[in-house]
Amino acid sequence: MSAFLAATILPFSSEVAFVAALQSTMPLSHALFAAASGNILAIVFNYYLGYFLYQKTKTKLLSSHIGKRAFLYGQRYGYGALLFSWLPLVGDPLTLVAGLVRLNVVWFVIIAGSLRIGRYWLLTFL
């Protein structure tokens, strides 16, 4: 649950819960599965929140020069920007923007999801 909440805009830390689970009697595979699945479900939630937000804002977004330009930049550089989606503070809004600019959801989950799993693997060995 903390991994899901931490991957939304809410100010939670899934890393603290993950490390606490590792220090308790929870096996690594269970802690990794729980943290990764909660985090991936949350980024998919953020993606679809952005996806549906596009429907509400597309007229206003695409009618302004800056909005249209920002949308095109998001489509052009969105997959590259997802490489930063694992970072605190900027990562979660990037997952929302990915849905807003309509990045392919399969590639989104592959890129952002694998980076989230990699973050937990890194914490395991630190």
Side-chain angles (χ1 to χ4, degrees), residues 47-90:
Y47 176 90
Y48 281 108
L49 187 63
Y51 190 88
F52 292 116
L53 189 64
Y54 172 78
Q55 291 297 329
K56 301 285 185 193
T57 61
K58 71 179 174 183
T59 305
K60 192 170 190 174
L61 178 70
L62 298 178
S63 66
S64 76
H65 176 69
I66 293 173
K68 188 179 229 177
R69 196 165 139 196
F71 183 79
L72 292 174
Y73 274 127
Q75 286 184 323
R76 181 181 294 163
Y77 300 111
Y79 294 109
L82 284 178
L83 296 175
F84 300 101
S85 68
W86 64 275
L87 293 170
L89 300 176
V90 297

